[in-house]
Amino acid sequence: MVEAAGRRRARGGGGAARRAERTAVSVETARFIERNIPNFEVLTTEALEIIEYNAETVLEEIGVNFVNNPAALDLWRNAGADIDGERVRIPRGLARQLCSTAPQSYTQHARNPARNVEIGGKSLVLAPVYGPPFVRDVAGGRRYATMEDFRKFVKLGYMSKWLHHSGGTVCEPTDIPVNKRHLDMLQAHMTLSDKPFMGSVTEPSRAQDSVDMCEILFGKDFVQKNTVMTSLININSPLTFDDVMMGSLEVYARNNQASVISPFIVGGAMAPVSVAGTLTQVLAEVLAGIAYSQLIRKGAPVIFGAFVTSIDMNSGAPTFGTPEASHVTYGAGQLARRLGLPFRSSGSFCGSKLPDAQAAYETANSLNMGLLSGVNFMLHACGWLEGGLVSSFEKFVMDADQLGALHKFAQGVNIDEEAQALDAMREVGPGGHYLGCAHTQAHFKTAFWRSETFDYKPFETWDEEGARDSEALAALRVEKLLNDYQQPALDPAINEALNAYVAEKKASMPDAFM
């Protein structure tokens, strides 16, 4: 079934597919960000060299655990590592040598080639929130997420100009059995959007399902020769690589699909409280994880990941948007660039329960940190609430709106003759104004970034219209985007094959909610 669908796609579909493409409404998506601004570097060369040396010491003397995975231990043993039970001690320099075969950048293909993204170098690709079991909106409050909520988020992501990527588990649909929900989620990304997306990592067989469904969507040969998924592989910090995540990594690496190798760090709980100590552990874990991906398949695309936050020592809750998290993220970006690898970190992080002032402050700190630290793939770029427990519809559109400001800032400062505006100054002269001059008339539409969510009206107008706050305005925008949504065209033969695959897989196993 998979190969047959791939052959149908390769021929370009039939007349029905072409008619659907002609009648589909095109949704504007900005090209991924290409920075024309410098990265902010917080660490000196001496500091970086100390952290790199210490990370190699951790790998050589302390080692990392690869649990419940005898095949991984065999691969490491054959590569020259010392194996003691499930502990893998990696000789100094070996992990870095293995990492050298990973590509510095790669293209992730979307089913709409106009939405392809480049990950690495000066690029920044923005993807939505990932993983929350709860959702929140002004109408229903906080509640467990459903598959209908998931589909709404995918539609909002598709309609959002500044999001380049559809993401993965934008919320966890708890009304679908655990062993089957990945099929519905993947199908939603594939059919309700034509942006790039992520695969499942909750069990190796589900990663394989992700590859199989992509072979239906793109064609088997295309998938084996190109990267069509970038998926999240979390390390069980500190220094532990479990068989579930590593099994999924193995599937993706073997099939030429990209993985984000990402420590999951709460400083003071899963890593030392010091910035230098945390960075040492992050680098050690990333080196071991990426090296393992290259043992599976040399040249498999990977991303240096770092999800790092600190902890409130009174309550034990994670904190976001803090100076310490910024220091770690800036430093991790420098370490990733010295390795020549794409970098993932940051997002719309906050600990607030509502899309309020706390959420705005923490999110602004986190988003700007990501832009300036050189992040290439930013997961959680919009929608994150309550420390990642909640996907918020209103915050999703508020954050997505602010991503436009990142695009504008990343353009840098234009200094060409037109931007110098001397003709405008000559035209206006002393005591005049620029509102009607030729230079303003030529550029006013694009000169300034403008929010599509904020209220810029005079107080009297705002008051007459109901004195709506940001959350209320965002709720209106959610409603508008969902009402305006039109599904992107898809070859009916491919759609039919996806339906058949999902139905067959679901019928092959009983429901499981654990």
Side-chain angles (χ1 to χ4, degrees):
M1 179 176 69
V2 173
E3 292 183 0
R7 287 195 295 270
R8 285 194 292 270
R9 184 181 189 277
R11 292 200 300 269
R18 290 190 289 273
R19 286 191 296 274
E21 289 173 0
R22 286 195 297 270
T23 58
V25 174
S26 177
V27 175
E28 182 182 7
T29 298
R31 179 176 165 83
F32 56 87
I33 292 174
E34 295 181 87
R35 291 179 182 83
N36 288 314
I37 56 174
N39 297 314
F40 182 78
E41 300 196 338
V42 72
L43 298 177
T44 65
T45 300
E46 180 185 12
L48 290 165
E49 289 173 349
I50 289 171
I51 290 167
E52 289 171 340
Y53 183 87
N54 289 346
E56 295 273 12
T57 300
V58 169
L59 293 177
E60 185 172 50
E61 295 182 8
I62 301 171
V64 297
N65 282 354
F66 275 74
V67 298
N68 302 319
N69 197 341
L73 299 177
D74 288 340
L75 281 173
W76 276 116
R77 185 180 291 106
N78 293 336
D82 176 56
I83 309 300
D84 180 13
E86 293 184 323
R87 183 70 58 91
V88 178
R89 291 182 174 87
I90 305 171
R92 187 174 298 275
L94 175 58
R96 187 173 291 269
Q97 176 188 341
L98 291 169
C99 289
S100 66
T101 61
Q104 294 187 3
S105 64
Y106 65 92
T107 300
Q108 183 182 347
H109 293 264
R111 73 171 173 94
N112 178 353
R115 314 253 200 248
N116 292 353
V117 294
E118 302 294 327
I119 299 178
K122 292 186 175 182
S123 72
L124 171 55
V125 174
L126 301 167
V129 64
Y130 183 108
F134 299 100
V135 298
R136 173 181 284 278
D137 60 24
V138 292
R142 185 183 190 268
R143 61 187 186 279
Y144 278 107
T146 67
M147 193 61 215
E148 181 57 28
D149 292 318
F150 186 96
R151 293 188 181 101
K152 286 181 180 178
F153 277 117
V154 173
K155 292 175 182 179
L156 288 174
Y158 173 67
M159 295 294 289
S160 297
K161 177 179 179 179
W162 306 114
L163 271 178
H164 318 115
H165 203 282
S166 193
T169 309
V170 287
C171 64
E172 189 76 34
T174 58
D175 57 333
I176 307 294
V178 170
N179 60 333
K180 299 178 181 180
R181 65 180 60 154
H182 67 289
L183 299 164
D184 295 287
M185 291 190 284
L186 283 162
Q187 188 173 22
H189 282 301
M190 291 177 175
T191 60
L192 301 179
S193 175
D194 61 4
K195 294 182 180 182
F197 56 87
M198 306 174 75
S200 176
V201 296
T202 54
E203 210 278 331
S205 68
R206 296 168 198 164
Q208 187 60 55
D209 286 339
S210 305
V211 173
D212 293 345
M213 290 178 71
C214 280
E215 289 179 348
I216 295 173
L217 186 65
F218 292 94
K220 184 167 185 173
D221 289 344
F222 189 88
V223 168
Q224 294 303 315
K225 295 175 182 176
N226 299 276
T227 298
V228 300
M229 283 183 289
T230 296
S231 301
L232 178 62
I233 304 296
N234 278 318
I235 296 166
N236 194 356
S237 303
L239 303 172
T240 301
F241 296 77
D242 66 76
D243 57 321
V244 173
M245 283 288 170
M246 289 305 99
S248 296
L249 169 62
E250 291 158 10
V251 170
Y252 288 127
R254 279 197 299 268
N255 288 280
N256 194 39
Q257 302 309 304
S259 294
V260 183
I261 312 298
S262 192
F264 190 95
I265 301 288
V266 177
M270 291 108 111
V273 295
S274 64
V275 170
T278 295
L279 281 170
T280 297
Q281 184 180 308
V282 166
L283 180 58
E285 292 179 351
V286 168
L287 282 171
I290 291 179
Y292 183 63
S293 76
Q294 301 305 295
L295 288 176
I296 299 297
R297 176 172 172 162
K298 284 185 179 180
V302 287
I303 298 176
F304 181 126
F307 177 92
V308 179
T309 186
S310 51
I311 193 171
D312 181 90
M313 287 298 181
N314 290 322
S315 68
T319 55
F320 299 93
T322 61
E324 297 79 18
S326 293
H327 285 153
V328 172
T329 303
Y330 290 130
Q334 290 179 259
L335 293 167
R337 288 189 290 277
R338 284 167 68 89
L339 276 172
L341 291 170
F343 178 42
R344 171 260 164 156
S345 195
S346 192
S348 62
F349 297 148
C350 67
S352 182
K353 316 304 180 289
L354 298 169
D356 56 9
Q358 178 185 340
Y361 280 123
E362 292 175 343
T363 294
N365 288 343
S366 297
L367 290 177
N368 285 310
M369 169 186 75
L371 177 67
L372 296 176
S373 66
V375 166
N376 300 114
F377 184 72
M378 186 190 290
L379 196 56
H380 311 300
C382 62
W384 170 292
L385 204 60
E386 202 180 319
L389 288 173
V390 172
S391 294
S392 162
F393 286 96
E394 287 78 24
K395 190 165 184 290
F396 191 102
V397 299
M398 284 192 277
D399 292 341
D401 180 64
Q402 287 298 295
L403 299 181
L406 297 191
H407 281 74
K408 184 71 172 184
F409 189 81
Q411 291 174 7
V413 177
N414 186 4
I415 199 65
D416 65 15
E417 185 175 353
E418 183 70 7
Q420 293 170 38
L422 284 174
D423 286 345
M425 295 181 217
R426 292 187 182 102
E427 179 185 342
V428 172
H433 67 76
Y434 288 85
L435 291 175
C437 79
H439 187 269
T440 300
Q441 293 299 308
H443 298 287
F444 76 93
K445 289 184 179 180
T446 58
F448 307 124
W449 172 78
R450 181 179 174 86
S451 168
E452 293 184 309
T453 303
F454 290 171
D455 186 290
Y456 296 113
K457 297 169 185 174
F459 172 82
E460 292 76 12
T461 305
W462 170 79
D463 191 49
E464 290 172 1
E465 292 180 350
R468 295 172 297 203
D469 63 12
S470 296
E471 186 176 24
L473 293 171
L476 292 175
R477 181 147 182 81
V478 170
E479 183 180 7
K480 180 182 186 309
L481 289 172
L482 292 176
N483 285 338
D484 290 348
Y485 171 83
Q486 292 191 38
Q487 189 169 347
L490 178 64
D491 184 338
I494 293 175
N495 192 47
E496 181 184 344
L498 287 171
N499 287 334
Y501 182 92
V502 169
E504 183 179 329
K505 290 294 293 190
K506 284 186 171 184
S508 71
M509 52 187 156
D511 292 351
F513 281 91
M514 295 291 291

